[in-house]
Structures are given as C-alpha cells and as structure tokens.
Amino acid sequence: MAGSEDPRALLRSVFGFDDFRPGQEEIVRAVLAGEDAIAIMPTGSGKSLCYQLPALLRPGLTMVVSPLIALMRDQVQALRAAAIAAAALNSANPAAENAQVERDIELGKLKLLYIAPERLVRPDTLERLAGANVALLAIDEAHCVSQWGHDFRPDYLGIANAARAIGGRLQTLALTATADGPTRAEIARRLFEGRSPREFLRSFDRPNLRLAFAPKKGPAKQVLDFVRRHTGESGIVYCSTRRKTDEMADALVKQGVRALPYHAGLEKEVREANQDVFQKEDGVVMVATVAFGLGIDKPDVRFVCHADLPSSVEAYYQEIGRAGRDGLPADTLTLYGTDDIRLRRMFIANSAAPDDRKRLDRQRLAALLSLAEAPHCRRQTLLAYFGETTPPCGNCDLCTEGTARFDGTVEAQKAMSAILRTGERFGVAHLIAILTGDSTENVLKFGHERLPTFGVGKDRAAGEWHALFRQMSAAGLIEQDLEGYGRWMVTEAGRRVLRGEERIEFRAEAVLPGKSVRRGSKTAPPELSGSDSGLLATLKTWRLARARELSAPAYVVCSDRTLYELVAMRPASVGALRGVHGLGDAKIARYGAAIVELIATTTSARSPE
Ligand code: ADP
Ligand code: ZN
C-alpha cells in the first residue's frame, strides 16, 4: 500500500468504518510521525486500530506484543478476513505454522506480527527480527509490565531489552485500559527507559453501559431475574470463587438458561470448549471467575453481572467493560453484601503484602464501597475515581430510579458518640450492641450499659446500623483501623457532623431492610419489527455458518452492528453495501453478493405483496 494514502480512506476501504473513534486519529497521526506514545483508553474504545492502520500505511513490519494467545488468534483472523497480511508467533501454533511465519518474516511478506512476550525475548527470535525491518513495536495490555497491577507478567519486563536488540531505538506504542497513577508511571519507566513518550488519555466514560449496584438479598434469584431480562443475548456472570461459579451455572441451567461455567479448576479442554461456544454463538451466558475475560474480544457481550463484589474499582471497570464493546447499549449489575466486604477486609489485613501495598489495597476497597453506596449518579462517582468530572449520566440506577435519601445527621451523631465514648477502641459489633441496647457479655464486662449512648439507637435493627456504619465510612466520617482488630475512629469530617456544623444524607434503600430494589428496564438493541427480526435471524444464521467455515467467532465475519445496519438499510446491490458499518472492500468482495441475495430473498418471501 502506498505511503501517501490517507488514513481516513483506508479506514473506510479496509476496515469499513466511517470515522475514527475519539482519540484514534491523534494516535494514528503520532505513530505515523514516528513518535513514541502511551495510549490509555478504555476497553472497547478501539485501541488496536491505532497500530493496525499505521501498519498498513508504512513500510516495514509492525510487531504487536500481546499477553493472550486466544486474543492474538482472533485478531489475526479478523485482520486476514480484511485481507491484511497478519500472522502470530506463539507456543500454541503448530511448529510448521511457526516455521512458515518465520519464513514470511524473512521474505518481508507480513505487515503485522503478533507475538507472545515469552517468544519475543528468545535470542533466536531477536536475531531473526533484527533483520526484519521492524518499524513499530506495539505493546498491548501494557499494564502487564507493572508489578503494582493485578495482571503482572514477568516476561513483560524483558520487552525493553528486546526492543533494543531488534532496532536500537525502536519506535514504541504502549496501549492499556488501566488508568491508575502508579501503573501509568511504571509503564513509562519500564517500557520507554528514560525516553518520554507522548501520553494520550481518553475519557473513561462508556456511556452505552448502564451501571447498577444492588445489595445482595438472595443472589441466585437476583442474577436469574437480571439474566432473564436479557434472554437470547450473550453475557457474563462473575462469581468470586470456583465453587460459587459452578453452583451459579447449575442454578441457571436448571432455570432453562443456556449457561456455561468457566474457571481455572476445570479441565483445560472443557474451559476452552466453553469459551469457544461463548465466543462463537449468540445468547450464551458465561458464568465465570475473573480468570475469564482478559482475552475476550467479543464485541457483542450485552450484559455483565457481578454476583459478588469485584476486587477494586479498576477491576470493576475492566470487567463491566467487556460488555458493549460494539458501542450498542449494554447492561450491568453488581451485587454486594456485607460478607463480601468483611472478607475483603480480612484478606487485606492478613496478607503478607508490604504495608504500602496494604494501604493502597485498603484505599482501593474504600473507593469501591463508595461506588457501591454512592448517593448520587454512579457514573459520576466512577469517573471521579479516574479523575474526571461529568454531569449526571441518566443511564445508571441512581439517575433513572433515584434513590430515597434521608437526613442521617442524628444517626451519625449517635454512632460517633458511641465510638468516642468508648475511646475509639471497639469494632462494629460492640458499638452496635451499645447503640441497640443489647447487654452482651462484652458490654457488661466494660460497663458500657451505663453509657448515656446505651440504647439510643434502639429504633433501628442491628442490620440497619451496619449499613449506616458503611455509609458513614464511605462518606469519610469514620474510619477503621484494620490492623488493630477493626476498631473505628472518628475523622475530622465526622467531628464536624458531630458538632452539628455539617449535616449528612444517607441512602434510605441501603439502610431500610425489606424495601426491595427495582432495577432498570432492559436495554435492548434498536427496536425491530416482525419482518426485521426475521431478517436479522436469517443473517445471524448465515453469519454463524460462515464463522463455522472459518472456525472463527461470528464477529470475525461481521459485527452485530453490521447486521443491524443491513436490516435497517436493506441494501439491494453490492454497491449499496459500501457505507455499511464494518464492511470494507475485502469483505464486500467475499460476502457482498451473498448478503444482497439473502436480503432480497428473505424480504420478498416475507413481504405480503
Ligand atoms: P480495545 O482494544 O480498545 O478494547 P478494540 O481495538 O478491540 O478495542 O476495538 C473494539 C471494537 O471497536 C472492535 O470491534 C473494533 O472493530 C471496533 N472499532 C474500532 N475502531 C472503530 C471505528 N473507528 N469505528 C467503528 N468501530 C471501530
Ligand atoms: Zn447516572
């Protein structure tokens, strides 16, 4: 391809996209200008295009380091489907295939080479690549280089050395969806070694994702209700343990849901087979531990449900981010319970991690709880975590359903007074016993039944007080010393409320038991009429058949959005397919005639005449 070609023209003719997504064009131009860059963009924002497009416009080979072989395979298939010379080098390929790829590298036949980090750092690979006219090193999931992060991959530490061995000062583009400060700094330090890459930071807002949290009350039923609102759609249900994953999958199957389990305890074959079905077919619900997902490139996941609290806001964002990558509406629901939270606190307190790591983990947990119990727009709270300010979103549970709030100043004062009068030395169970006037053994032992605070909170059940403590903590009025048996202390902000200088509002829903929480309506792709849905079904069947021929996931043939546009536009000629999302020249050449014919026959067979 000529170096003078315009990126935008190529975007249309090769990828079938009308326009760049926000952020892509600047990065593409920076890469074409030879700059080093770090691109921090949310999942689904289209990071891959930022190196794929320049790769086609420039001489030489673009290398892509990627941590997951399955993901690599899918990307290569998708590129080949668009007639792009791409290949992958990794341990999962048969030896003969790797040998062929190596020959193609030597012959300069490839534009894009995906490579696993452990393969990249091998001396023989480096020698081969040193002579291969490598133009750009793109590092996907660049946060894997960070030891702070949760996805640390030791092989990533060898990438900078490898780059030097291949091309001296090889142009490098690092890509990640992980935004927290320490991780970002570590990426720059370890992958760019003193050079200063340009940083591109995209808004983390994913407006097509509906956000909702709910306190746990019978998670099996809550998950089932949620999944039933999405019958026929692909989705993921995350559980915190293997056992819960198996149980949840069983429970859903018993209710007639097409659910499959996925966790590290399953046989490799079973795991891979389940993942394959999920990737390739419509309407499968994957019930999984967080082991599932990093390698999932399926654009049409319509919902993500957390049956247990995720591990951090970061993890939450990554996990819900697996839904709606195609930009169409997708739904999320996260359940959280007091057990989750207690378990998490214990886990952090008892871990062998160094103190600064524990402090970071505690802060992360506190941020997650503030999100779960946010009094206002959930997206505002979420984006605030990433340093962004936005107006209320209108697409979260709190925006659409609102939440009843009440002035909890008096309750907060009672609770904080109990904390202070007992010398900030006690945990929540004891404090609640005092508030509710429960003469437990410990209360009597310390003579706390004689405190003026004893019984002042009788009007509320212990469970309500637990919720109030969580909300006071989320609002920063009180804090817990986690090393010291979880004793509670009153903060400066808390003292202001105690002195009556400030008031505090709490969410009624989290506090008042028995008031069931109603979650939002189903978010669906564009409404379809009867004949539209008939055509859509026909197109889906056709797509599945083509995907089976390629043994590839359905979206490699074309995305949901492409199908929706075909249904809406009903193109009557191959020429009319230009302009349909996702259909570039290669796909039109390959499938165009078949699609047009399918539309013509389906429509005429169904139309009343
Ligand atoms: P990320 O790596 O940032 O998670 P991907 O690169 O996998 O995202 O892209 C997500 C989806 O968006 C893919 O299905 C891709 O084909 C699609 N996409 C990328 N760029 C565009 C664009 N400019 N217009 C429309 N769709 C796009
Ligand atoms: Zn909102």
Side-chain angles (χ1 to χ4, degrees):
M1 261 162 238
S4 60
E5 232 171 313
D6 171 30
R8 205 172 274 274
L10 221 56
L11 188 65
R12 174 75 250 167
S13 67
V14 175
F15 296 92
F17 302 146
D18 284 326
D19 214 334
F20 286 108
R21 291 234 178 109
Q24 287 179 327
E25 187 166 14
E26 294 101 289
I27 299 170
V28 166
R29 297 211 180 270
V31 171
L32 288 173
E35 291 182 71
D36 288 319
I38 300 185
I40 302 153
M41 296 164 81
T43 305
S45 56
K47 286 187 285 299
S48 331
L49 192 92
C50 299
Y51 53 81
Q52 290 171 347
L53 193 56
L56 304 180
L57 283 166
R58 297 204 303 179
L61 178 66
T62 292
M63 282 178 37
V64 186
V65 179
S66 170
L68 283 143
I69 291 173
L71 191 74
M72 231 185 258
R73 196 181 49 215
D74 290 347
Q75 292 240 349
V76 169
Q77 273 179 334
L79 288 165
R80 288 191 178 157
I84 296 168
L89 213 45
N90 60 49
S91 56
N93 284 351
E97 189 177 331
N98 278 337
Q100 179 63 47
V101 172
E102 286 171 354
R103 272 197 303 281
D104 287 348
I105 295 172
E106 265 156 43
L107 295 172
K109 280 190 177 170
L110 295 177
K111 294 309 295 178
L112 278 143
L113 175 68
Y114 284 75
I115 190 163
E118 59 276 11
R119 183 92 189 187
L120 172 70
V121 301
R122 271 172 35 177
D124 59 321
T125 312
L126 292 177
E127 198 178 318
R128 184 166 284 108
L129 289 167
N133 190 20
V134 178
L136 175 73
L137 177 64
I139 302 158
D140 205 6
E141 313 285 358
H143 62 279
C144 291
V145 79
S146 161
Q147 272 154 320
W148 272 134
H150 294 288
D151 299 326
F152 175 56
R153 306 267 298 211
D155 283 318
Y156 265 61
L157 295 175
I159 294 179
N161 264 332
R164 227 178 297 112
I166 294 169
R169 203 189 159 292
L170 183 59
Q171 187 191 355
T172 301
L173 170 66
L175 307 111
T176 177
T178 293
D180 70 20
T183 312
R184 240 184 267 176
E186 215 176 336
I187 292 174
R189 200 168 64 243
R190 293 194 190 278
L191 294 178
F192 294 87
E193 302 189 310
R195 290 182 273 157
S196 36
R198 233 171 102 185
E199 200 172 277
F200 294 91
L201 183 63
R202 278 317 304 171
S203 166
F204 273 66
D205 194 9
R206 299 275 311 274
N208 61 318
L209 298 186
R210 180 186 155 80
L211 309 179
F213 277 63
K216 262 189 206 177
K217 13 186 134 154
K221 169 90 168 53
Q222 285 170 295
V223 171
L224 180 65
D225 288 348
F226 179 76
V227 167
R228 284 222 167 116
R229 291 210 299 267
H230 296 281
T231 303
E233 299 175 351
S234 305
I236 306 172
V237 175
Y238 281 115
C239 300
S240 58
T241 64
R242 296 174 189 183
R243 186 177 54 78
K244 286 190 187 176
T245 304
D246 286 330
E247 288 170 2
M248 182 66 76
D250 280 350
L252 289 175
V253 168
K254 286 211 182 76
Q255 298 296 325
V257 176
R258 182 124 192 267
L260 296 170
Y262 185 103
H263 58 69
L266 294 172
E267 297 280 340
K268 188 159 173 284
E269 292 74 37
V270 177
R271 219 165 54 218
E272 286 178 356
N274 287 355
Q275 169 161 345
D276 217 44
V277 172
F278 177 72
Q279 291 261 84
K280 290 183 185 162
E281 293 179 30
D282 286 327
V284 177
V285 178
M286 197 61 135
V287 184
T289 59
V290 292
F292 179 73
L294 186 58
I296 295 310
D297 197 17
K298 190 174 166 60
D300 56 356
V301 175
R302 293 268 70 86
F303 64 89
V304 168
C305 178
H306 282 98
D308 298 299
L309 192 70
S311 68
S312 62
V313 176
E314 193 67 55
Y316 164 75
Y317 182 79
Q318 294 291 337
E319 284 148 17
I320 60 166
R322 289 172 189 139
R325 277 161 164 252
D326 52 11
L328 294 172
D331 200 5
T332 76
L333 172 65
T334 301
L335 302 180
Y336 64 97
T338 30
D339 286 357
D340 287 344
I341 298 165
R342 208 174 49 229
L343 209 70
R344 201 63 61 70
R345 289 212 165 100
M346 271 168 16
F347 202 72
I348 297 172
N350 296 327
S351 87
D355 281 351
D356 51 352
R357 175 70 201 229
K358 282 192 185 182
R359 197 171 334 106
L360 204 67
D361 283 345
R362 269 201 307 274
Q363 285 166 5
R364 283 183 168 150
L365 178 60
L368 184 66
L369 298 186
S370 320
L371 179 62
E373 303 196 319
H376 306 290
C377 173
R378 221 174 273 290
R379 198 174 314 265
Q380 283 181 320
T381 313
L382 176 64
L383 292 176
Y385 178 80
F386 296 120
E388 294 179 42
T389 14
T390 49
C393 73
N395 192 26
C396 73
D397 51 346
L398 300 176
C399 278
T400 57
E401 291 145 47
T403 171
R405 285 192 283 274
F406 68 96
D407 186 320
T409 308
V410 172
E411 277 79 359
Q413 287 169 337
K414 287 177 182 173
M416 290 188 288
S417 142
I419 294 173
L420 289 173
R421 285 186 190 270
T422 53
E424 300 187 306
R425 287 184 299 130
F426 293 91
V428 69
H430 187 75
L431 294 167
I432 291 177
I434 294 171
L435 286 164
T436 54
D438 185 0
S439 312
T440 62
E441 205 175 307
N442 262 336
V443 166
L444 298 176
K445 183 168 123 202
F446 289 101
H448 286 163
E449 79 283 5
R450 293 193 301 271
L451 290 174
T453 342
F454 186 75
V456 291
K458 266 202 189 71
D459 52 330
R460 290 188 178 277
E464 298 172 56
W465 279 108
H466 273 283
L468 283 167
F469 269 82
R470 281 204 310 278
Q471 292 207 47
M472 282 189 280
S473 161
L477 304 187
I478 57 176
E479 65 190 14
Q480 200 174 18
D481 169 13
L482 288 151
E483 274 90 2
Y485 306 101
R487 66 199 186 99
W488 283 97
M489 296 165 292
V490 177
T491 65
E492 204 27 62
R495 284 169 204 269
R496 285 197 295 275
V497 172
L498 196 58
R499 290 192 296 262
E501 294 161 19
E502 279 174 23
R503 307 197 71 80
I504 179 83
E505 283 200 330
F506 293 126
R507 289 179 52 191
E509 162 206 285
V511 178
L512 305 172
K515 235 188 95 190
S516 84
V517 189
R518 211 165 283 288
R519 294 292 142 187
S521 62
K522 172 186 159 93
T523 46
E527 286 289 317
L528 294 173
S529 71
S531 79
D532 283 351
S533 56
L535 177 56
L536 183 64
T538 309
L539 287 167
K540 280 193 174 175
T541 312
W542 170 85
R543 175 175 70 172
L544 186 62
R546 298 294 79 73
R548 289 224 165 106
E549 286 164 13
L550 300 172
S551 32
Y555 65 82
V556 166
V557 177
C558 60
S559 68
D560 278 5
R561 175 144 167 223
T562 304
L563 296 189
Y564 293 139
E565 289 199 9
L566 289 172
V567 170
M569 291 160 55
R570 312 220 164 172
S573 68
V574 173
L577 292 174
R578 302 191 148 273
V580 174
H581 171 91
L583 296 183
D585 293 346
K587 283 195 182 161
I588 292 178
R590 184 164 188 175
Y591 300 127
I595 291 174
V596 169
E597 178 166 350
L598 202 61
I599 293 173
T601 50
T602 311
T603 325
S604 67
R606 279 167 204 269
S607 67
E609 290 304 342

